Amino acid sequence: MTESPTTPAATAPSPGSAAAARRGPVVAALMLGMGLAAIDGTIVSTAVPQIVGDLGGLAVFSWLFSGYLLAVTVTLPVYGKLSDTFGRKPVLIAGIVLFLIGSLLCAAAWSMASLIAFRVVQGLGGGALQGTVQTIAADLYPLKERPRIQARLSSVWAASSVAGPAVGGLLAGYADWRWIFLVNLPIGLVALWLVTRHLVEPQRATAAPRERPRIDWAGALGVFATGALLITALVQGGVAWPWLSAPSLALLGGAVALGALTVVIERRAAEPIIPGWVWRRRTIAAVNLSLGALGLLMVAPTVFLPTYAQSVLGLGPIAAGFVLSTWTLSWPISAAFSNRVYTRIGFRLTAVLGISGALLLLLAFPFLPFPGEPWQPALIMLLLGAALGLFQLPLIVGVQSTVPYEERGTTTASVLFCRQIGQTVGAALFGAVANGVLASRLGSGSGDLDTLARALDDPASLTAETTDHLRRAVDAAVDWVYLGAAAAAALALLALLTLAPRRFPVLKEATGDEE
């Protein structure tokens, strides 16, 4: 059983075009670009003490991460549309250049405010890297070969994300924190040279002379402003101010109002940044919702498992990182072999099997014994990575194969945008869940999960009874977070079963095969 090919628009180029002739160097450039975007999301984390000691600004240092995340997320739809309008190459080149300019400015920052501003510039380039790299990968490879390149990109993303804190700590400890940003320059310049020299985009035939492209600047501004208010509310709510305070309500209300205005603008635009068909087509809508739920559930292991490993299991930072990193081993391997499954049973059923396995594994986590052995959560993470590799990649490959070339950038960006929003919502939601569980077990003045984790780092200052009580509270908090992640997996499963068609309407030219 395979996906049913349909006849696409005449403008869709064949994957066997000139772009594939030089794809080896281009793939190397894509992997370098993906690594830059991934590592910069985490590399600053372990260098915060050195940065704050040099520049000050302890009260606002969290915006070193939030500013980068904000810029990446809100620009994804814009870059997706621009890549469909002007081509992938100019957008990717502009993204690399902007990212390198931001990196150079970050290395020259003279205050925390300037560093945060320059991190936003970095994020503006990072948004182009994330979305365009995934789109070019789909352009270069036919359907049967696409899992291979996507698995490579997944491996680079996973390895870079895990290695980021270690690299940042080494550079900050043995050199200078400014080298965290300067090391991007040679890597980015190599990627820029490879793209400029070797990326050849296919010519898109049109029935009529091509009109001058029209850019929906009003829609782009609306998407950017709406995303900025929403992400700021989610990142700062419950941290900088209470959830029901005036700042939170003002930001959320402003996001709703701007979102409604953006919908009106987009419905009237000739070339909208986020076209209505992204949500009217069942396949794309189902994948968007499913990967939004994936972003939500990924927060549980990536954010809370290291704290669990150190506070409950008593592991050091390196060993705790290993417990988390086991899923980065199985995820790309599972993704690489997923084509052997979806070519037989279809994209939807493959993804259903993957997310069903993930649901069971997330539900199993709260049943681990207290305090347990490190291999137990490590095994769950190893199996979870395999399940999610079987879930995510077939959906991305499948949805990219249902649209022609001139819609692929927008489609890919919408998927990644939903996943990023899911991660942002998950960080805020699960943080509130964890802190609520701690408050119920320890009292309202007990502090948040990070505070308890720091207290448990110095057990000599606590009695054995107090230490055990705090560890059990952290264990319960993380258990509830994993139950929340299981609920997100259930939502993804529901979206697939109710919205996704049994067979994705794959375009014939996108497969490179004959019917």
Side-chain angles (χ1 to χ4, degrees):
M1 172 181 164
T2 58
E3 305 302 319
S4 54
T6 59
T7 303
T11 56
S14 168
S17 63
R22 299 181 177 182
R23 65 186 184 186
V26 174
V27 168
L30 298 184
M31 295 175 72
L32 290 174
M34 181 65 77
L36 285 175
I39 201 169
D40 260 73
T42 59
I43 195 171
V44 178
S45 59
T46 49
V48 166
Q50 290 81 2
I51 295 174
V52 171
D54 190 9
L55 301 179
L58 178 62
V60 294
F61 82 89
S62 63
W63 275 100
L64 292 176
F65 315 99
S66 302
Y68 182 83
L69 171 68
L70 169 65
V72 168
T73 304
V74 299
T75 54
L76 276 169
V78 178
Y79 286 127
K81 182 62 179 180
L82 291 177
S83 74
D84 283 340
T85 304
F86 298 103
R88 326 296 191 214
K89 187 172 182 177
V91 173
L92 182 56
I93 289 175
I96 295 174
V97 170
L98 194 56
F99 186 89
L100 294 181
I101 291 173
S103 298
L104 189 60
L105 290 172
C106 285
W110 57 89
S111 66
M112 183 62 75
S114 65
L115 182 57
I116 290 171
F118 298 148
R119 282 282 286 172
V120 172
V121 175
Q122 254 195 325
L124 295 176
L129 289 175
Q130 280 197 34
T132 313
V133 162
Q134 294 274 16
T135 306
I136 293 174
D139 293 340
L140 291 178
Y141 286 82
L143 179 58
K144 284 186 177 179
E145 299 179 43
R146 213 166 282 161
R148 184 173 61 184
I149 179 61
Q150 292 288 359
R152 290 181 187 175
L153 294 177
S154 296
S155 300
V156 170
W157 183 270
S160 300
S161 299
V162 172
V167 173
L170 287 173
L171 290 174
Y174 294 99
D176 185 272
W177 64 264
R178 297 179 190 273
W179 281 100
I180 288 173
F181 305 105
L182 290 174
V183 294
N184 292 334
L185 299 181
I187 299 172
L189 288 173
V190 171
L192 183 62
W193 179 78
L194 290 172
V195 169
T196 304
R197 182 175 177 85
H198 295 286
L199 178 58
V200 179
E201 294 196 86
Q203 294 293 324
R204 288 174 283 176
T206 53
R210 185 166 179 82
E211 300 178 359
R212 183 177 180 179
R214 288 178 288 181
I215 303 176
D216 178 22
W217 293 115
L221 181 61
V223 170
F224 191 94
T226 302
L229 290 182
L230 176 61
I231 293 174
T232 301
L234 293 173
V235 168
Q236 296 297 96
V239 179
W241 47 69
W243 280 109
L244 297 180
S245 65
S248 281
L249 296 177
L251 287 169
L252 291 172
V256 170
L258 279 177
L261 178 61
T262 302
V263 169
V264 173
I265 293 172
E266 294 294 83
R267 293 184 67 177
R268 295 180 178 179
E271 296 288 341
I273 293 294
I274 304 181
W277 53 259
V278 167
W279 292 105
R280 286 195 300 268
R281 297 180 191 175
R282 287 178 56 196
T283 304
I284 301 176
V287 173
N288 282 343
L289 292 174
S290 298
L291 291 189
L294 172 66
L296 191 68
L297 72 86
M298 284 176 63
V299 171
T302 54
V303 176
F304 294 91
L305 186 61
T307 300
Y308 171 89
Q310 293 181 71
S311 300
V312 177
L313 302 180
L315 302 179
I318 296 177
F322 176 77
V323 171
L324 172 63
S325 66
T326 53
W327 78 339
T328 67
L329 303 175
S330 56
W331 191 318
I333 294 173
S334 172
F337 286 96
S338 65
N339 67 320
R340 300 188 180 185
V341 183
Y342 67 65
T343 53
R344 289 174 171 80
I345 65 175
F347 291 115
R348 188 184 80 153
L349 187 52
T350 303
V352 165
L353 291 176
I355 198 62
S356 297
L359 173 59
L360 295 175
L361 290 164
L362 292 167
L363 287 174
F365 187 91
F367 291 97
L368 293 178
F370 176 87
E373 298 293 333
W375 67 266
Q376 295 167 333
L379 177 61
I380 285 183
M381 291 305 300
L382 186 71
L383 297 175
L384 183 62
L388 293 179
L390 202 62
F391 166 69
Q392 177 183 252
L393 190 134
L395 291 182
I396 293 179
V397 171
V399 78
Q400 288 177 330
S401 303
T402 65
V403 293
Y405 177 92
E406 62 272 13
E407 294 178 354
R408 194 174 291 148
T410 299
T411 301
T412 303
S414 73
V415 168
L416 299 179
F417 177 74
C418 289
R419 191 180 66 185
Q420 289 282 107
I421 290 293
Q423 287 181 287
T424 307
V425 172
L429 177 62
F430 293 150
V433 168
N435 293 334
V437 173
L438 292 177
S440 68
R441 288 192 168 242
L442 303 175
S444 58
S446 59
D448 57 18
L449 193 61
D450 290 338
T451 302
L452 289 188
R454 286 193 294 270
L456 287 167
D457 281 342
D458 185 21
S461 63
L462 304 171
T463 65
E465 183 179 356
T466 300
T467 299
D468 183 71
H469 187 49
L470 293 180
R471 290 173 68 194
R472 288 184 180 274
V474 172
D475 178 64
V478 176
D479 284 349
W480 276 100
V481 167
Y482 267 78
L483 289 175
L491 290 176
L493 179 61
L494 182 64
L496 288 176
L497 293 177
T498 58
L499 291 178
R502 292 183 61 188
R503 294 187 180 186
F504 282 23
V506 173
L507 302 185
K508 186 176 180 181
E509 279 80 354
T511 67
D513 299 326
E514 295 299 325
E515 199 168 356

